[in-house]
Amino acid sequence: MLDNVVRRYRQGDASVDVLNGASATVEAGEVVALIAPSGAGKSTLLHVAGLLERPDGGEVWLDGRPTVGLGDDARTAIRRGRVGFVYQFHHLLPEFSALENVVMPQIIRGLAKAEARERAAELLTYLGLGARLSHRPAELSGGEQQRVAIARAVANAPRLLLADEPTGNLDPTTSAHVFQTLTTLARASGLAAIVATHNLDLAATLDRRITLRDGVLVDA
């Protein structure tokens, strides 16, 4: 997945190495916790793994395919159909219902509206939101909003799920429920998933734990 990845940024005349030869493989159905202090490069790693940023060195493989040398259009197409993102804030569209928020990425990908609505309803029902399909984000609790965001992330059946502090804004009980929902769905769908989190108790429930140390990924 990540092979000797390097990512650096310029700060004035200085160069800051955030990733310095990071390598990792996540298998289908495996959910891996990424735990590291703030500023260590967790978000950068997820952005590179999800093809939102190009690395300055190394390779990013997805479904056995190298991606670094691809053009922007090809990378966007892969990202749209093969990668799902969940963030600390749900980023749901406030004027649309839960169902419509999950339908939208499927329509953008080209799925027929009726089929997209059926899949969205199935996903949301699986996540315990069958009675909330027509509710807008403001009418949902924080945990419900994040579950809608998870459904949206997997609506196009991606092969890789990347979650950046997905429970960071939630209370402990809700966090545990959302975390369990995310991991159960990932395992049932055969997704490879990386979940960045500061919560060591929740991280301990996942298949493996990795951390960034001096820009390199190591077991935590």
Side-chain angles (χ1 to χ4, degrees), residues 85-107:
F85 295 92
V86 181
Y87 297 100
Q88 182 171 337
F89 186 71
H90 54 76
H91 295 298
L92 300 176
L93 297 173
E95 66 271 28
F96 294 109
S97 68
L99 183 74
E100 291 165 339
N101 267 280
V102 181
V103 164
M104 190 167 298
Q106 299 178 77
I107 291 178

Side-chain angles (χ1 to χ4, degrees), residues 12-84:
D13 294 331
S15 177
V16 178
D17 292 331
V18 179
L19 302 178
N20 192 24
S23 297
T25 298
V26 183
E27 303 293 342
E30 185 180 31
V31 186
V32 176
L34 173 60
I35 50 177
S38 296
K42 297 190 301 297
S43 294
T44 296
L45 185 141
L46 295 180
H47 290 169
V48 171
L51 311 189
L52 290 171
E53 295 185 32
R54 289 183 188 272
D56 297 296
E59 185 59 82
V60 180
W61 297 78
L62 190 58
D63 281 349
R65 180 184 184 185
T67 63
V68 170
L70 298 176
D72 289 342
D73 289 345
R75 287 167 60 87
T76 298
I78 292 173
R79 190 168 60 244
R80 182 181 297 148
R82 309 300 282 174
V83 184

Side-chain angles (χ1 to χ4, degrees), residues 85-167:
F85 295 92
V86 181
Y87 297 100
Q88 182 171 337
F89 186 71
H90 54 76
H91 295 298
L92 300 176
L93 297 173
E95 66 271 28
F96 294 109
S97 68
L99 183 74
E100 291 165 339
N101 267 280
V102 181
V103 164
M104 190 167 298
Q106 299 178 77
I107 291 178
I108 291 173
R109 193 184 178 195
L111 202 65
K113 186 174 182 179
E115 188 175 351
R117 288 180 66 87
E118 180 179 358
R119 174 164 172 77
E122 288 177 354
L123 276 171
L124 289 168
T125 299
Y126 178 82
L127 295 177
L129 296 170
R132 313 288 274 169
L133 302 183
S134 62
H135 289 65
R136 294 183 180 182
E139 300 171 308
L140 302 173
S141 70
E144 289 171 335
Q145 291 170 348
Q146 276 299 70
R147 279 184 277 160
V148 175
I150 292 168
R152 180 184 58 188
V154 301
N156 284 330
R159 303 314 307 147
L160 175 64
L161 179 65
L162 301 170
D164 195 354
E165 295 289 349
T167 63

